[in-house]
Amino acid sequence: MGNYMIKQPFTIKSQVTIPDHLIKEVQSKFAYVDEYIANATILPDGNTIELELRSEINKQEKNNLEEKIQRVVLSMVKGAYQPKVEILEDYLDKQVPYQSDPNIELLKRQEISQETPGVFTLGPLVTRLIEYFETRFVELADSFAAQPYRFPILIPARYLQRVNYFRAFPHSLSFATHLREDLDTIDHFSQHAGCDAHGNLTAAPDSFSPIQNLLSPAVCYHLYFALADQSLPEGKMIVTAVGNCFRYEAINLTSLERLWNFTMREVIFIGNKDFVLENREIARQRMQKVFQELELAYRVESANDPFFIGEFRKQAAFQSAFQLKFEIRASLPFKNSTLAVGSYNYHQDFFGRHLNISLPDGSPAHTGCVAFGLERMAYAFLAQYGFDPNQWPLCMKGLI
Ligand code: ATP
Ligand code: ZN
Ligand code: MG
């Protein structure tokens, strides 16, 4: 085996050309292809894939990795067509004062401290920013007289199964378990459990009970599950909640941009099709004024969810065709790119059908939500306005 050790990094030529509009999406999926992959980049030609590995691998492992890469590319690219990106608001050209990478300053000021990849403790500045943006999002919720809810962090596996979550997003799931209710198991654990050099807990896998619960990946799901198998007496509902979300994004977990554990504020609409679509649109227009006041450089454009490889092509095309998702993409000047800080979503009657939530006329309820990523909002703001409050927009004067 030693003879065949592959030196890192190396490149692969993709069998098909990855079109421009899919490069980011395909690249992000490489994080889940093989545990050897430490970094994977698709070059602008759409054919060359540069790979960095965590450790050396032998020829057979390399062939296996290469085959999986080709398989991902083929299944995401074959038959894909470029959806027309619809732009609803465009303020990307807005001049902003800061151009540097906020991560450097955030670390220097000990404003962020990483516990594990994608999991951060946040300091006073970031916390105050998040609290401020929260007040703005809550104002939006109040403008709809949305009813407040609090949802748990855990979510039962059988709930997620009911809405086909395992098919759509298996790669980003996070699981929760506990020790079995057994004196010997608990005794043994208390005496012997520890962490090895990699931080892995050294306990026998059979110490743990079967997995029945996960860490929740979204906020609004909890509301739909609470309403399952019911008829909505009023035929409509508007709810708001803030909550922890968990999405394991593997090597894509970088700084506050992409977290394993993040928080989301949502305003959720349930009713008939017109009710949901009209309110989603009103929410967008109200937020347009808020983002204007915040002097954010951003754009609202049509998008799709990061479905698992096998589901991606079909589902993404479906979402695009029916305008089910619009993202608020804030500019990150230091890397000349954008980051989704929120989204306006319409699920049609998907949850109504799968969870048997009905309207007074017996038809399945339609649902939609507007969702804001709080850490990303603070991060994008700092990337545009920096750390000197004198440079901040008028509405934020006196905040710090
Ligand atoms: P992306 O395309 O960047 O992965 P998404 O489409 O998965 O985002 P949504 O499901 O629309 O995101 O979630 C709503 C908001 O939650 C996003 O606009 C973003 O602000 C935030 N969010 C989603 N995933 C993460 C994450 N891993 N880390 C931090 N914030 C996130
Ligand atoms: Zn939602
Ligand atoms: Mg997205």
Side-chain angles (χ1 to χ4, degrees):
M1 289 229 307
N3 296 340
Y4 298 111
M5 287 300 189
I6 308 297
K7 283 241 172 63
Q8 45 182 321
F10 66 98
T11 63
I12 293 179
K13 284 286 173 198
S14 160
Q15 284 161 7
V16 293
T17 303
I18 305 160
D20 272 357
H21 74 276
L22 280 180
I23 285 185
K24 267 197 178 152
E25 199 66 53
V26 175
Q27 185 170 290
S28 72
K29 293 295 187 295
F30 288 158
Y32 307 98
V33 166
D34 195 297
E35 287 177 326
Y36 274 114
I37 296 176
N39 193 23
T41 315
I42 303 170
L43 299 190
D45 68 3
N47 278 104
T48 316
I49 301 161
E50 279 183 353
L51 288 166
E52 283 170 44
L53 304 181
R54 289 183 209 278
S55 59
E56 301 204 315
I57 56 174
N58 64 38
K59 186 87 184 241
Q60 198 197 332
E61 290 166 328
K62 186 191 174 209
N63 288 344
N64 182 256
L65 185 154
E66 209 168 322
E67 183 277 323
K68 286 190 279 183
I69 290 266
Q70 298 288 6
R71 189 153 27 111
V72 167
V73 172
L74 262 185
S75 76
M76 290 184 74
V77 169
K78 221 176 84 192
Y81 72 95
Q82 179 164 14
K84 210 173 94 239
V85 177
E86 200 190 339
I87 297 166
L88 302 185
E89 297 169 38
D90 195 351
Y91 302 99
L92 267 188
D93 285 348
K94 173 148 190 46
Q95 290 297 307
V96 291
Y98 204 67
Q99 306 292 328
S100 312
D101 180 349
N103 287 298
I104 297 165
E105 194 63 27
L106 283 167
L107 286 166
K108 208 168 87 191
R109 293 169 175 243
Q110 296 191 316
E111 271 293 330
I112 55 174
S113 138
Q114 182 179 285
E115 294 194 346
T116 194
V119 178
F120 287 89
T121 289
L122 305 178
L125 172 72
V126 181
T127 302
R128 287 200 176 99
L129 280 174
I130 286 180
E131 283 172 359
Y132 173 73
F133 294 127
E134 253 290 76
T135 62
R136 307 304 307 256
F137 300 140
V138 171
E139 271 167 34
L140 174 78
D142 287 345
S143 75
F144 288 101
Q147 294 295 315
Y149 275 68
R150 288 175 64 80
F151 299 126
I153 280 179
L154 294 182
I155 197 156
R158 65 191 152 76
Y159 280 7
L160 292 178
Q161 183 196 12
R162 234 180 128 176
V163 294
N164 290 343
Y165 201 88
F166 299 150
R167 270 191 84 87
F169 307 104
H171 51 302
S172 58
L173 294 169
S174 310
F175 303 90
T177 180
H178 52 82
L179 290 179
R180 290 191 296 113
E181 299 92 329
D182 175 81
L183 184 62
D184 295 330
T185 303
I186 298 171
D187 251 351
H188 191 270
F189 185 91
S190 76
Q191 300 296 320
H192 301 285
C195 288
D196 68 13
H198 306 285
N200 297 333
L201 190 64
T202 55
D206 69 358
S207 313
F208 301 103
S209 74
I211 292 163
Q212 296 190 332
N213 296 287
L214 291 89
L215 302 177
S216 183
V219 172
C220 58
Y221 284 50
H222 291 279
L223 179 67
Y224 311 143
F225 291 127
L227 299 172
D229 304 310
Q230 290 176 39
S231 169
L232 299 181
E234 311 257 318
K236 59 187 180 189
M237 262 178 110
I238 303 182
V239 165
T240 188
V242 64
N244 271 278
C245 298
F246 297 81
R247 295 184 192 172
Y248 182 70
E249 307 214 27
I251 53 171
N252 300 325
L253 294 167
T254 49
S255 74
L256 293 192
E257 262 189 77
R258 203 164 280 288
L259 299 168
W260 186 359
N261 175 191
F262 58 98
T263 46
M264 222 195 268
R265 162 66 65 176
E266 290 202 29
V267 184
I268 307 158
F269 306 105
I270 310 184
N272 64 25
K273 176 180 177 178
D274 289 347
F275 178 80
V276 173
L277 280 176
E278 277 165 25
N279 282 299
R280 179 177 76 156
E281 176 59 14
I282 294 170
R284 182 184 71 75
Q285 289 174 13
R286 290 184 184 161
M287 285 313 294
Q288 184 169 13
K289 293 207 184 75
V290 176
F291 288 129
Q292 219 96 101
E293 240 183 82
L294 296 173
E295 298 183 40
L296 197 71
Y298 76 102
R299 173 151 130 171
V300 173
E301 63 183 35
S302 54
N304 46 257
D305 277 316
F307 298 105
F308 186 57
I309 297 145
E311 297 286 290
F312 175 78
R313 202 159 18 95
K314 194 176 75 224
Q315 300 263 35
F318 180 81
Q319 281 196 323
S320 302
F322 292 95
Q323 304 201 316
L324 302 186
K325 187 181 182 91
F326 292 97
E327 280 181 339
I328 306 152
R329 302 199 64 91
S331 154
L332 296 180
F334 76 96
K335 49 164 40 173
N336 201 15
S337 73
T338 60
L339 178 69
V341 297
S343 56
Y344 303 108
N345 304 288
Y346 171 45
H347 314 119
Q348 299 174 301
D349 60 357
F350 178 85
F351 291 104
R353 274 187 294 113
H354 285 264
L355 298 173
N356 187 29
I357 308 168
S358 55
L359 299 176
D361 69 1
S363 65
H366 288 239
T367 63
C369 68
V370 305
F372 305 101
L374 300 180
E375 295 82 0
R376 277 198 190 174
M377 191 61 214
Y379 179 78
F381 176 81
L382 288 170
Q384 295 185 13
Y385 282 87
F387 294 79
D388 175 5
N390 293 318
Q391 302 280 329
W392 292 4
L394 210 60
C395 66
M396 295 178 69
K397 285 269 166 341
L399 188 68
I400 302 295

